Amino acid sequence: MVARTSQFDPFRGYKFRVRFNNQVVAGLTKCSALTVSIESKEFRTGDMDGFKQKLPGMVSFEAITLEQGITTDKTFEAWATSMANYVGNKGADSQKTPDDFRKEIDIEIYNLNNEKVKAYRVYQCWVSKYTALPALDAASADVMIQTIVLENEGFQVLQ
């Protein structure tokens, strides 16, 4: 029996692009999941001693991790180091505020025909952790990977 594909086949996890400043991040190899968590609050009502009700509480959005092979493109690295330069230096970045380092990023999903089928906008991203250079090993032939962790304040489906 021959397997049939349909228009409802799931999309592949390796067909994606991430954009910021309306520019595709060069050499991006991995993007962690977009996750929202809603805290559950329990309380007892006055007339039912043996029963607890649950209500939604605070909403939080988990950090996103991006991994990129080290390239000559400086866009990724410039954003990743801009906050550290602002916090630890009173030089050129001292006139900027933390809001100047926040960016919206778009995560785009593509099907096997390379057509964009879904997109998400992630709001108010800023770099909370940056790995500029991985551990080096002369006995390995691995690609060098940079990593940034982005804090964010939510996302929405664009498409």
Side-chain angles (χ1 to χ4, degrees), residues 90-109:
K90 297 297 180 194
D93 286 336
S94 65
Q95 300 301 315
K96 295 183 178 181
T97 67
D99 289 336
D100 293 330
F101 304 106
R102 294 176 185 261
K103 297 185 184 302
E104 270 84 46
I105 67 168
D106 292 339
I107 301 172
E108 302 170 344
I109 312 302

PDB file of all heavy atoms in Angstrom, residues 90-109:
ATOM      1  N   LYS A  90      30.253  53.025  30.671  1.00  0.00           N
ATOM      2  CA  LYS A  90      29.668  54.372  30.604  1.00  0.00           C
ATOM      3  C   LYS A  90      30.100  55.095  29.327  1.00  0.00           C
ATOM      4  O   LYS A  90      30.090  56.297  29.259  1.00  0.00           O
ATOM      5  CB  LYS A  90      30.096  55.198  31.824  1.00  0.00           C
ATOM      6  CG  LYS A  90      29.603  54.615  33.124  1.00  0.00           C
ATOM      7  CD  LYS A  90      28.105  54.615  33.168  1.00  0.00           C
ATOM      8  CE  LYS A  90      27.613  54.035  34.482  1.00  0.00           C
ATOM      9  NZ  LYS A  90      26.226  53.703  34.475  1.00  0.00           N
ATOM     10  N   GLY A  91      30.454  54.326  28.300  1.00  0.00           N
ATOM     11  CA  GLY A  91      30.939  54.911  27.043  1.00  0.00           C
ATOM     12  C   GLY A  91      29.803  55.276  26.107  1.00  0.00           C
ATOM     13  O   GLY A  91      28.815  55.896  26.489  1.00  0.00           O
ATOM     14  N   ALA A  92      29.917  54.850  24.865  1.00  0.00           N
ATOM     15  CA  ALA A  92      28.995  55.241  23.805  1.00  0.00           C
ATOM     16  C   ALA A  92      27.560  54.813  24.073  1.00  0.00           C
ATOM     17  O   ALA A  92      26.625  55.489  23.667  1.00  0.00           O
ATOM     18  CB  ALA A  92      29.464  54.658  22.474  1.00  0.00           C
ATOM     19  N   ASP A  93      27.362  53.684  24.771  1.00  0.00           N
ATOM     20  CA  ASP A  93      26.016  53.195  25.013  1.00  0.00           C
ATOM     21  C   ASP A  93      25.365  53.815  26.245  1.00  0.00           C
ATOM     22  O   ASP A  93      24.238  53.485  26.584  1.00  0.00           O
ATOM     23  CB  ASP A  93      26.030  51.666  25.169  1.00  0.00           C
ATOM     24  CG  ASP A  93      26.240  50.969  23.837  1.00  0.00           C
ATOM     25  OD1 ASP A  93      25.931  51.573  22.798  1.00  0.00           O
ATOM     26  OD2 ASP A  93      26.716  49.821  23.847  1.00  0.00           O
ATOM     27  N   SER A  94      26.037  54.712  26.934  1.00  0.00           N
ATOM     28  CA  SER A  94      25.498  55.240  28.192  1.00  0.00           C
ATOM     29  C   SER A  94      24.261  56.115  27.979  1.00  0.00           C
ATOM     30  O   SER A  94      23.516  56.341  28.912  1.00  0.00           O
ATOM     31  CB  SER A  94      26.570  56.016  28.943  1.00  0.00           C
ATOM     32  OG  SER A  94      26.954  57.166  28.217  1.00  0.00           O
ATOM     33  N   GLN A  95      24.034  56.620  26.776  1.00  0.00           N
ATOM     34  CA  GLN A  95      22.865  57.443  26.500  1.00  0.00           C
ATOM     35  C   GLN A  95      21.635  56.601  26.167  1.00  0.00           C
ATOM     36  O   GLN A  95      20.542  57.127  26.049  1.00  0.00           O
ATOM     37  CB  GLN A  95      23.155  58.410  25.341  1.00  0.00           C
ATOM     38  CG  GLN A  95      24.304  59.363  25.614  1.00  0.00           C
ATOM     39  CD  GLN A  95      24.063  60.218  26.853  1.00  0.00           C
ATOM     40  OE1 GLN A  95      22.990  60.756  27.042  1.00  0.00           O
ATOM     41  NE2 GLN A  95      25.073  60.310  27.713  1.00  0.00           N
ATOM     42  N   LYS A  96      21.809  55.300  26.015  1.00  0.00           N
ATOM     43  CA  LYS A  96      20.696  54.425  25.663  1.00  0.00           C
ATOM     44  C   LYS A  96      20.004  53.932  26.912  1.00  0.00           C
ATOM     45  O   LYS A  96      20.562  53.920  27.995  1.00  0.00           O
ATOM     46  CB  LYS A  96      21.204  53.239  24.839  1.00  0.00           C
ATOM     47  CG  LYS A  96      21.771  53.653  23.493  1.00  0.00           C
ATOM     48  CD  LYS A  96      22.180  52.454  22.692  1.00  0.00           C
ATOM     49  CE  LYS A  96      22.692  52.882  21.330  1.00  0.00           C
ATOM     50  NZ  LYS A  96      23.072  51.728  20.529  1.00  0.00           N
ATOM     51  N   THR A  97      18.752  53.513  26.745  1.00  0.00           N
ATOM     52  CA  THR A  97      17.992  52.916  27.841  1.00  0.00           C
ATOM     53  C   THR A  97      17.822  51.432  27.547  1.00  0.00           C
ATOM     54  O   THR A  97      18.012  51.004  26.402  1.00  0.00           O
ATOM     55  CB  THR A  97      16.599  53.572  27.946  1.00  0.00           C
ATOM     56  OG1 THR A  97      15.839  53.218  26.781  1.00  0.00           O
ATOM     57  CG2 THR A  97      16.714  55.076  28.076  1.00  0.00           C
ATOM     58  N   PRO A  98      17.446  50.625  28.549  1.00  0.00           N
ATOM     59  CA  PRO A  98      17.234  49.198  28.282  1.00  0.00           C
ATOM     60  C   PRO A  98      16.208  48.937  27.181  1.00  0.00           C
ATOM     61  O   PRO A  98      16.292  47.933  26.486  1.00  0.00           O
ATOM     62  CB  PRO A  98      16.761  48.656  29.633  1.00  0.00           C
ATOM     63  CG  PRO A  98      17.385  49.572  30.623  1.00  0.00           C
ATOM     64  CD  PRO A  98      17.374  50.932  29.975  1.00  0.00           C
ATOM     65  N   ASP A  99      15.245  49.853  27.003  1.00  0.00           N
ATOM     66  CA  ASP A  99      14.261  49.660  25.939  1.00  0.00           C
ATOM     67  C   ASP A  99      14.892  49.714  24.555  1.00  0.00           C
ATOM     68  O   ASP A  99      14.342  49.173  23.600  1.00  0.00           O
ATOM     69  CB  ASP A  99      13.143  50.708  26.046  1.00  0.00           C
ATOM     70  CG  ASP A  99      12.245  50.458  27.250  1.00  0.00           C
ATOM     71  OD1 ASP A  99      12.188  49.299  27.707  1.00  0.00           O
ATOM     72  OD2 ASP A  99      11.619  51.410  27.727  1.00  0.00           O
ATOM     73  N   ASP A 100      16.046  50.377  24.405  1.00  0.00           N
ATOM     74  CA  ASP A 100      16.733  50.425  23.115  1.00  0.00           C
ATOM     75  C   ASP A 100      17.280  49.053  22.717  1.00  0.00           C
ATOM     76  O   ASP A 100      17.601  48.830  21.554  1.00  0.00           O
ATOM     77  CB  ASP A 100      17.891  51.426  23.145  1.00  0.00           C
ATOM     78  CG  ASP A 100      17.405  52.862  23.299  1.00  0.00           C
ATOM     79  OD1 ASP A 100      16.290  53.171  22.836  1.00  0.00           O
ATOM     80  OD2 ASP A 100      18.148  53.666  23.883  1.00  0.00           O
ATOM     81  N   PHE A 101      17.386  48.130  23.649  1.00  0.00           N
ATOM     82  CA  PHE A 101      17.958  46.824  23.373  1.00  0.00           C
ATOM     83  C   PHE A 101      16.885  45.756  23.177  1.00  0.00           C
ATOM     84  O   PHE A 101      17.202  44.618  22.900  1.00  0.00           O
ATOM     85  CB  PHE A 101      18.900  46.413  24.507  1.00  0.00           C
ATOM     86  CG  PHE A 101      19.969  47.440  24.740  1.00  0.00           C
ATOM     87  CD1 PHE A 101      19.911  48.272  25.843  1.00  0.00           C
ATOM     88  CD2 PHE A 101      21.007  47.600  23.837  1.00  0.00           C
ATOM     89  CE1 PHE A 101      20.892  49.235  26.044  1.00  0.00           C
ATOM     90  CE2 PHE A 101      21.979  48.557  24.039  1.00  0.00           C
ATOM     91  CZ  PHE A 101      21.926  49.378  25.139  1.00  0.00           C
ATOM     92  N   ARG A 102      15.644  46.133  23.324  1.00  0.00           N
ATOM     93  CA  ARG A 102      14.541  45.193  23.126  1.00  0.00           C
ATOM     94  C   ARG A 102      14.156  45.172  21.650  1.00  0.00           C
ATOM     95  O   ARG A 102      14.119  46.205  21.001  1.00  0.00           O
ATOM     96  CB  ARG A 102      13.327  45.603  23.957  1.00  0.00           C
ATOM     97  CG  ARG A 102      13.575  45.515  25.447  1.00  0.00           C
ATOM     98  CD  ARG A 102      12.365  46.034  26.197  1.00  0.00           C
ATOM     99  NE  ARG A 102      12.602  46.067  27.613  1.00  0.00           N
ATOM    100  CZ  ARG A 102      12.187  45.136  28.463  1.00  0.00           C
ATOM    101  NH1 ARG A 102      11.519  44.098  28.022  1.00  0.00           N
ATOM    102  NH2 ARG A 102      12.443  45.243  29.746  1.00  0.00           N
ATOM    103  N   LYS A 103      13.866  43.997  21.165  1.00  0.00           N
ATOM    104  CA  LYS A 103      13.482  43.844  19.763  1.00  0.00           C
ATOM    105  C   LYS A 103      12.314  42.878  19.656  1.00  0.00           C
ATOM    106  O   LYS A 103      12.139  42.005  20.496  1.00  0.00           O
ATOM    107  CB  LYS A 103      14.637  43.281  18.941  1.00  0.00           C
ATOM    108  CG  LYS A 103      15.855  44.171  18.881  1.00  0.00           C
ATOM    109  CD  LYS A 103      16.895  43.572  17.944  1.00  0.00           C
ATOM    110  CE  LYS A 103      18.166  44.363  17.907  1.00  0.00           C
ATOM    111  NZ  LYS A 103      18.024  45.738  17.510  1.00  0.00           N
ATOM    112  N   GLU A 104      11.527  43.047  18.616  1.00  0.00           N
ATOM    113  CA  GLU A 104      10.557  42.034  18.243  1.00  0.00           C
ATOM    114  C   GLU A 104      11.260  41.080  17.285  1.00  0.00           C
ATOM    115  O   GLU A 104      12.032  41.523  16.437  1.00  0.00           O
ATOM    116  CB  GLU A 104       9.351  42.658  17.531  1.00  0.00           C
ATOM    117  CG  GLU A 104       8.239  43.051  18.470  1.00  0.00           C
ATOM    118  CD  GLU A 104       8.465  44.413  19.090  1.00  0.00           C
ATOM    119  OE1 GLU A 104       8.812  45.333  18.347  1.00  0.00           O
ATOM    120  OE2 GLU A 104       8.301  44.539  20.312  1.00  0.00           O
ATOM    121  N   ILE A 105      11.010  39.805  17.444  1.00  0.00           N
ATOM    122  CA  ILE A 105      11.538  38.844  16.484  1.00  0.00           C
ATOM    123  C   ILE A 105      10.368  38.086  15.878  1.00  0.00           C
ATOM    124  O   ILE A 105       9.317  37.947  16.503  1.00  0.00           O
ATOM    125  CB  ILE A 105      12.563  37.862  17.103  1.00  0.00           C
ATOM    126  CG1 ILE A 105      11.906  36.931  18.117  1.00  0.00           C
ATOM    127  CG2 ILE A 105      13.738  38.590  17.705  1.00  0.00           C
ATOM    128  CD1 ILE A 105      12.798  35.772  18.518  1.00  0.00           C
ATOM    129  N   ASP A 106      10.544  37.651  14.654  1.00  0.00           N
ATOM    130  CA  ASP A 106       9.552  36.829  13.969  1.00  0.00           C
ATOM    131  C   ASP A 106      10.136  35.447  13.754  1.00  0.00           C
ATOM    132  O   ASP A 106      11.284  35.319  13.309  1.00  0.00           O
ATOM    133  CB  ASP A 106       9.166  37.430  12.613  1.00  0.00           C
ATOM    134  CG  ASP A 106       8.409  38.735  12.752  1.00  0.00           C
ATOM    135  OD1 ASP A 106       7.836  38.987  13.826  1.00  0.00           O
ATOM    136  OD2 ASP A 106       8.379  39.503  11.773  1.00  0.00           O
ATOM    137  N   ILE A 107       9.347  34.430  14.063  1.00  0.00           N
ATOM    138  CA  ILE A 107       9.732  33.051  13.810  1.00  0.00           C
ATOM    139  C   ILE A 107       8.797  32.549  12.723  1.00  0.00           C
ATOM    140  O   ILE A 107       7.571  32.543  12.901  1.00  0.00           O
ATOM    141  CB  ILE A 107       9.625  32.194  15.083  1.00  0.00           C
ATOM    142  CG1 ILE A 107      10.534  32.778  16.162  1.00  0.00           C
ATOM    143  CG2 ILE A 107       9.966  30.740  14.786  1.00  0.00           C
ATOM    144  CD1 ILE A 107      10.368  32.147  17.521  1.00  0.00           C
ATOM    145  N   GLU A 108       9.366  32.158  11.586  1.00  0.00           N
ATOM    146  CA  GLU A 108       8.587  31.749  10.424  1.00  0.00           C
ATOM    147  C   GLU A 108       8.790  30.263  10.167  1.00  0.00           C
ATOM    148  O   GLU A 108       9.917  29.775  10.189  1.00  0.00           O
ATOM    149  CB  GLU A 108       9.020  32.544   9.189  1.00  0.00           C
ATOM    150  CG  GLU A 108       8.889  34.039   9.371  1.00  0.00           C
ATOM    151  CD  GLU A 108       9.546  34.842   8.260  1.00  0.00           C
ATOM    152  OE1 GLU A 108      10.370  34.291   7.499  1.00  0.00           O
ATOM    153  OE2 GLU A 108       9.219  36.040   8.166  1.00  0.00           O
ATOM    154  N   ILE A 109       7.692  29.545   9.911  1.00  0.00           N
ATOM    155  CA  ILE A 109       7.717  28.113   9.637  1.00  0.00           C
ATOM    156  C   ILE A 109       7.401  27.919   8.151  1.00  0.00           C
ATOM    157  O   ILE A 109       6.459  28.530   7.637  1.00  0.00           O
ATOM    158  CB  ILE A 109       6.669  27.361  10.483  1.00  0.00           C
ATOM    159  CG1 ILE A 109       6.735  27.762  11.950  1.00  0.00           C
ATOM    160  CG2 ILE A 109       6.791  25.849  10.302  1.00  0.00           C
ATOM    161  CD1 ILE A 109       8.054  27.543  12.618  1.00  0.00           C
TER     162      ILE A 109
END
